[in-house]
Amino acid sequence: MTPRTPLLHRRPEWAGRNYSLLTASAIVTNLGTHGALIAAAFAVLESGGDGGDVGLVAAARTLPLVLFLLIGGAIADRLPRHRVMVAANALNCVSQAAFAVLVLAGEPQLWQMMLLTALCGTGQAFFNPAAEGMLMSSVTGEQASKAFALFRMAMHGAGIGGAALGGAMIAAVGPGWVLAIDAAAFAVAGALRAFLDVGHIPARKPGGGLLADLRDGWQEVIGRPWLWSIVAQFSVVVAVVGAADAVYGPLVAEESLGGARPWGLALAAFGAGTLGGALLMMRWKPRRMLLAGTLCVFPLALPSAALAVPVSIGALMVVMFVSGVAIEVFGVAWMTTLHQEIPEEKLSRVSAYDWFGSTAMLPLSTALAGPAESVFGRQTALWGCAALIVVVTALVLLVPDVRNLTRRTKRIAGHHTAPTAPTAAAATVAGTGSATATGTDLHTRESL
């Protein structure tokens, strides 16, 4: 009888302890968060709020994210990244639990919902740069693209279930219980991330202080035209997509599509598209990574256009699926480029500037979404969102480095490689449920 191959040897050699823990914890948080994002919007509407109030709550989440991102990135390059991640998860757990209690107890006040979502956004500001740096240091250069694609595929697979279940639960038992589940998910994910191993990451050399670290990160960004141009592009893309999805989407769903359940299905279709995009990127390795990724930003204009019509829920699901595939191609290409081009010891700071630039306009866009609807009409505002995405993406293609930067087989000098041999602990993690951003949230572009 041929002996069975142990599970340890069936797993890819690059899927070690840290990669497994990061994947498992991202699955848990995405199961909770995708439903909670829908729940927050409908909690505002059920308490008597309108589109403007939904926008204010969304802006309250993103404003501290913008304000504290750069500090979070500098701290993540100074302290052990896993400790920053666990502390941020603890804050998210407490804020979401308090939000759930308020909603379940009665009619929450607008200022209370804004305060609690602001605390959640603060946690994300410290979590996102640390998480991205941790993920990029957990895989080898040769297998980075495949590892990032698999990570994102698992994360978005969880998002499919989270969005669909979240929409169904809101319709059945209300948004409060969905928020409570999200709080529990942050607690479980934080416990998993506490076991991350940072022993392979060299100790940071003493620097000139926090401001010196921020200046150093800025020099890394501004010296690369492909980097700052795409960050500038996504400052617009994330802003208009955020306004469409967080404010206009629930309103269109409430008035024309049938409420929370169909909107949850539409978001789940987007998640299914990201799953398909990740499967594609596990096999496809475009030589010009940024060119392929940037071309795939154009389809992100389709959901806003579909909501502007508005189309039927079936057509909207198709559009959301296509945009999910497209953004996943970009996401994997982007993470692979950062992994290839940025030294490990500066990953979190560069990631912080990336997140900062990409989300800087989001609080303003979500806060102004309601007034813009009043002045121009919802349909015109949505068509404007679609047009802006097309224009800024076309402008980025004028940057030579975006068109010409190519994939290399070796990492640049200054990168440090994580151990590739799986340990017994990694096998234990696999056996207990390790299967993903920006925290995506990860990266997030995950917020899209």
Side-chain angles (χ1 to χ4, degrees):
M1 181 181 293
T2 304
R4 290 185 177 183
T5 303
L7 176 63
L8 180 64
H9 297 295
R10 296 178 188 174
R11 301 170 63 228
E13 64 175 8
W14 41 262
R17 173 190 177 89
N18 281 358
Y19 183 85
S20 298
L21 284 169
L22 289 166
T23 300
S25 57
I27 288 174
V28 172
T29 50
N30 272 267
L31 281 170
T33 299
H34 277 71
L37 291 174
I38 308 172
F42 280 91
V44 176
L45 295 175
E46 289 185 7
S47 67
D50 56 15
D53 295 329
V54 173
L56 287 174
V57 171
R61 179 186 180 95
T62 53
L63 182 59
L65 179 63
V66 172
L67 292 177
F68 295 112
L69 263 172
L70 298 183
I71 297 174
I75 290 177
D77 274 341
R78 282 177 166 264
L79 301 178
R81 288 174 180 146
H82 68 309
R83 293 183 182 176
V84 178
M85 296 166 68
V86 171
N89 284 166
L91 178 58
N92 289 144
C93 174
V94 172
S95 62
Q96 290 295 79
F99 196 172
V101 170
L102 283 175
V103 174
L104 292 171
E107 293 186 1
Q109 301 297 311
L110 179 61
W111 71 266
Q112 294 172 324
M113 293 185 285
M114 291 178 65
L115 174 62
L116 291 171
T117 53
L119 289 175
C120 197
T122 301
Q124 288 302 111
F126 287 87
F127 176 86
N128 291 341
E132 187 158 300
M134 196 74 198
L135 175 63
M136 290 186 186
S137 69
S138 71
V139 298
T140 63
E142 294 77 8
Q143 297 295 336
S145 181
K146 181 179 290 187
F148 296 148
L150 179 60
F151 175 90
R152 294 167 67 94
M153 180 174 64
M155 180 181 66
H156 293 309
I160 296 171
L165 289 174
M169 286 188 65
I170 293 168
V173 297
W177 289 108
V178 178
L179 293 167
I181 290 173
D182 189 36
F186 276 118
V188 173
L192 289 174
R193 288 163 177 147
F195 292 98
L196 289 168
D197 179 15
V198 295
H200 67 282
I201 301 177
R204 273 38 174 188
K205 297 179 180 179
L210 191 64
L211 291 178
D213 285 349
L214 292 174
R215 285 195 299 269
D216 196 20
W218 172 252
Q219 292 301 320
E220 289 289 332
V221 174
I222 202 65
R224 293 175 168 84
W226 61 267
L227 179 52
W228 61 257
S229 63
I230 289 181
V231 170
Q233 170 201 13
F234 268 84
S235 69
V236 176
V237 172
V238 172
V240 298
V241 172
D245 285 0
V247 181
Y248 300 138
L251 293 173
V252 173
E254 186 76 16
E255 295 178 9
S256 305
L257 302 178
R261 188 188 298 271
W263 181 237
L265 291 175
L267 294 180
F270 176 84
T274 61
L275 187 63
L279 282 171
L280 172 64
M281 293 303 286
M282 287 190 70
R283 294 182 174 274
W284 183 39
K285 295 183 178 181
R287 182 169 176 269
R288 297 187 181 185
M289 301 175 290
L290 286 183
L291 177 60
T294 301
L295 289 173
C296 286
V297 179
F298 284 109
L300 295 185
L302 295 176
S304 294
L307 289 171
V309 174
V311 299
S312 66
I313 182 59
L316 180 60
M317 289 176 67
V318 172
V319 166
M320 295 291 277
F321 179 85
V322 171
S323 64
V325 173
I327 193 56
E328 194 61 19
V329 173
F330 171 83
V332 174
W334 180 249
M335 293 184 73
T336 304
T337 303
L338 292 177
H339 180 266
Q340 172 179 291
E341 299 293 324
I342 308 299
E344 192 280 331
E345 66 274 9
K346 298 179 181 179
L347 280 172
S348 289
R349 277 168 286 175
V350 170
S351 173
Y353 276 103
D354 176 19
W355 273 93
F356 176 81
S358 299
T359 59
M361 294 176 61
L362 188 55
L364 182 63
S365 69
T366 51
L368 293 179
E373 179 185 12
S374 300
V375 174
F376 303 107
R378 187 184 306 160
Q379 187 178 52
T380 301
L382 282 165
W383 281 118
C385 290
L388 281 172
I389 293 172
V390 172
V391 170
V392 298
T393 303
L395 290 175
V396 164
L397 289 175
L398 299 178
V399 179
D401 287 347
V402 172
R403 301 193 307 270
N404 300 325
L405 192 148
T406 58
R407 183 187 303 270
R408 293 195 298 269
T409 57
K410 295 183 179 180
R411 305 179 75 177
I412 65 173
H415 272 80
H416 301 286
T417 303
T420 59
T423 62
T428 302
V429 172
T432 57
S434 82
T436 81
T438 69
T440 70
D441 279 304
L442 177 4
H443 194 286
T444 226
R445 315 293 186 235
E446 278 28 270
S447 62
L448 298 175

